[in-house]
Amino acid sequence: MISAVKQPSTTAFVVNDIARTGLFALRRKISLPPLPASTLPSLLCSSSRLSLKPMCVSSSRQVVGSRDEELQFRCEAYEADRSENVSVPAEEPQSSTAQKVKIGIYFATWWALNVVFNIYNKKVLNAFPFPWLTSTLSLACGSLIMLLSWTIRIAESPKTDLDFWKSLFPVAVAHTIGHVAATVSMSKVAVSFTHIIKSGEPAFSVLVSRFLLGETFPVSVYWSLLPIIGGCALAAATELNFNMIGFMGAMISNLAFVFRNIFSKRGMKGKSVSGMNYYACLSIMSLLILTPFAIAVEGPQVWAAGWETAISQIGPQFIWWVAAQSVFYHLYNQVSYMSLDEISPLTFSIGNTMKRISVIVSSIIIFHTPVQPINALGAAIAILGTFLYSQVTISKLRFFW
C-alpha cells in the first residue's frame, strides 16, 4: 500500500492510495463534524487559513489495467458549502469489438462443449443404459477436477462456512433430481426430443412462481408461454419414437431446475463465491446426495454386467466415451456459470436459447434422427416461444442455469 498526503493552500486535503485488489468501483461521501471550539485558539495560531465549516470526504476507485493489475484509489476532502470538484480519471471503456469477441468466445465454447457432451452422453447411454451411474460419474468427475485444482492452486478455493452449505443443500437436491431426470430421459428418447421438452422450462417457472410463491407477471409473459406449451405439445404428439418415461424425465427435469433457480436466488443472497467455485461446490454436494440412491436403484452387480457387455460390443473406446461425457458435462456447466459473471442475464438467456438449437440440430444430424415436418415445426415454435419469453421477463426474473 502506497499512501501520499498533500496539504494544499486551501483547507482540502488529498489522499492517493494505490493497491492491488479485485475489479470494482466505489464512490462514497463521509461528512465530518465541525471542529470542537476548545481547539480553536491553538489552531488559529498555527494556521490563518483554517476553516471551521463541516467537511466532506469523497473517494473513488478506478481501474488502471486489467482485473489482476493495479487499482487506483483517490480521496479528497472539501468544505460542505463548496460544490464538489473531485477530479477522478475516467475509466477507459472496453472497445465494443473486444467485448463482442469475448462474448462470442464464451458462447462458442459453451455451445461446443454442450454439443459434445450430449453426443457422448447419448453414445454411452445407448451402450450402457444405466442413467443413475452415468449421472454419478459426471458429478464425480467434475468434483475431482475442482478438488485437484484447489489442491495444486490452479484455481482459488472458495471461502465458505456452514451457512453457505446449508443454503446450498436444497439447491443441490433440486440439481441432483434435475440432472438424473434429464439423463433418464435421454436414455429413453432422442436427444433432440429431450431438449425440445426442456425448452418448456419457462412455463414451469412462471406457474410455480405464480401459484406457489404468489408472484405476479405482466400479461405479455403469459402470452409468451402459449407458443412454448403449444410447440412442446406438437413436438411430443408427433414424435416418432415417443416414450412416456423419456417424456416424464424431461418434464421432471424442468420442474426440478425451476426449484433449483428459486432456491439459488433465495439462499445465495450475500454469498461472495465465484460462478466456477459455486458450481464446483454444487457438484460435490450433489455427488454426496446421488451416490447412495444410485447404488440402491441400480447397484454394482448390474453395473458390472452392463460394463462387460458394453466393452464386448464397443471395445476399449467405450471407456473414452464415459470419460469424455463426464469431463465435458463439467466443463460446459462450468463455462455457463462463469459466463454469468461476465455477461448480462439478457445475453445469457439468448445464448441459452441458441444453445438448445445447436444441440437439437447437431444431434439430429449425427444420430440420423428421423424428423417429420410437423415435428420440426413444433420444435421451432417452442424455441421461438422460449426466446420471446426471455425478452419480456428479463427485467423481472434472473435465471440461475
Side-chain angles (χ1 to χ4, degrees), residues 119-140:
I119 293 172
Y120 279 109
N121 188 52
K122 185 59 177 177
K123 285 186 174 183
V124 170
L125 292 172
N126 286 341
F128 186 74
F130 299 100
W132 288 78
L133 177 59
T134 303
S135 302
T136 304
L137 292 176
S138 300
L139 295 173

Side-chain angles (χ1 to χ4, degrees), residues 10-318:
T10 63
T11 59
F13 67 89
V14 179
V15 178
N16 292 309
D17 288 343
I18 298 178
R20 300 183 68 87
T21 183
L23 177 61
F24 64 95
L26 172 66
R27 187 173 181 83
R28 61 184 176 184
K29 291 183 180 180
I30 305 175
S31 296
L32 302 179
L35 292 173
S38 59
T39 62
L40 181 60
S42 60
L43 288 175
L44 288 177
C45 293
S46 60
S47 175
S48 61
R49 305 181 66 86
L50 178 66
S51 172
L52 300 182
K53 297 176 182 179
M55 303 291 290
C56 291
V57 176
S58 175
S59 62
S60 61
R61 294 192 177 193
Q62 181 225 355
V63 177
V64 176
S66 64
R67 180 186 293 259
D68 296 326
E69 294 178 352
E70 290 184 341
L71 201 73
Q72 184 177 6
F73 177 85
R74 184 178 180 86
C75 175
E76 293 193 15
Y78 56 90
E79 296 176 1
D81 64 346
R82 179 172 63 85
S83 61
E84 180 183 0
N85 185 22
V86 180
S87 58
V88 180
E91 179 181 346
E92 294 184 4
Q94 188 178 18
S95 68
S96 59
T97 302
Q99 182 66 12
K100 289 179 180 178
V101 171
K102 184 178 182 180
I103 294 175
I105 292 175
Y106 267 112
F107 279 0
T109 306
W110 179 18
W111 298 343
L113 292 173
N114 189 264
V115 167
V116 173
F117 158 72
N118 278 277
I119 293 172
Y120 279 109
N121 188 52
K122 185 59 177 177
K123 285 186 174 183
V124 170
L125 292 172
N126 286 341
F128 186 74
F130 299 100
W132 288 78
L133 177 59
T134 303
S135 302
T136 304
L137 292 176
S138 300
L139 295 173
C141 180
S143 301
L144 179 62
I145 290 174
M146 290 310 301
L147 288 174
L148 290 176
S149 299
W150 293 336
T151 302
I152 61 180
R153 300 186 182 279
I154 295 178
E156 183 179 359
S157 60
K159 296 177 175 60
T160 62
D161 52 20
L162 183 60
D163 290 337
F164 171 84
W165 293 103
K166 286 181 178 179
S167 63
L168 186 66
F169 180 75
V171 183
V173 171
H175 178 74
T176 303
I177 295 173
H179 176 42
V180 173
T183 308
V184 169
S185 176
M186 282 190 279
S187 69
K188 299 295 183 181
V189 296
V191 174
S192 56
F193 181 70
T194 297
H195 279 273
I196 292 171
I197 301 303
K198 283 178 65 64
S199 66
E201 183 178 332
F204 285 86
S205 180
V206 171
L207 294 176
V208 169
S209 299
R210 177 66 184 90
F211 293 106
L212 295 184
L213 304 180
E215 295 185 14
T216 58
F217 300 90
V219 177
S220 57
V221 172
Y222 297 105
W223 279 111
S224 69
L225 297 181
L226 294 180
I228 297 176
I229 298 173
C232 289
L234 182 60
T238 58
E239 175 65 24
L240 296 177
N241 299 315
F242 180 84
N243 180 281
M244 182 56 69
I245 296 178
F247 174 75
M248 292 304 300
M251 297 288 280
I252 293 173
S253 177
N254 281 340
L255 187 61
F257 285 145
V258 166
F259 279 103
R260 181 191 66 178
N261 298 337
I262 293 173
F263 294 145
S264 296
K265 184 167 63 174
R266 288 186 168 187
M268 296 311 298
K269 290 182 178 178
K271 308 297 183 183
S272 56
V273 178
S274 67
M276 180 178 66
N277 283 336
Y278 178 81
Y279 179 71
C281 294
L282 182 62
S283 295
I284 293 171
M285 181 164 282
S286 294
L287 175 63
L288 297 177
I289 295 172
L290 176 58
T291 301
F293 287 95
I295 295 174
V297 173
E298 294 175 346
Q301 292 182 348
V302 176
W303 295 338
W307 186 271
E308 291 179 2
T309 302
I311 292 294
S312 63
Q313 293 178 351
I314 307 300
Q317 63 177 341
F318 174 74

Side-chain angles (χ1 to χ4, degrees), residues 304-366:
W307 186 271
E308 291 179 2
T309 302
I311 292 294
S312 63
Q313 293 178 351
I314 307 300
Q317 63 177 341
F318 174 74
I319 300 176
W320 159 249
W321 291 359
V322 174
Q325 73 90 23
S326 300
V327 171
F328 283 108
Y329 173 79
H330 173 76
L331 292 179
Y332 103 77
N333 276 287
Q334 187 180 84
V335 170
S336 69
Y337 273 83
M338 291 172 62
S339 67
L340 283 171
D341 293 336
E342 304 292 339
I343 60 180
S344 69
L346 175 58
T347 304
F348 184 85
S349 67
I350 296 173
N352 191 54
T353 302
M354 300 303 295
K355 178 204 75 174
R356 294 222 183 275
I357 297 176
S358 63
V359 171
I360 291 172
V361 173
S362 61
S363 64
I364 290 175
I365 295 174
I366 292 174

Side-chain angles (χ1 to χ4, degrees), residues 373-388:
I374 191 68
N375 185 262
L377 178 62
I381 293 174
I383 293 173
L384 176 62
T386 304
F387 177 78
L388 295 175

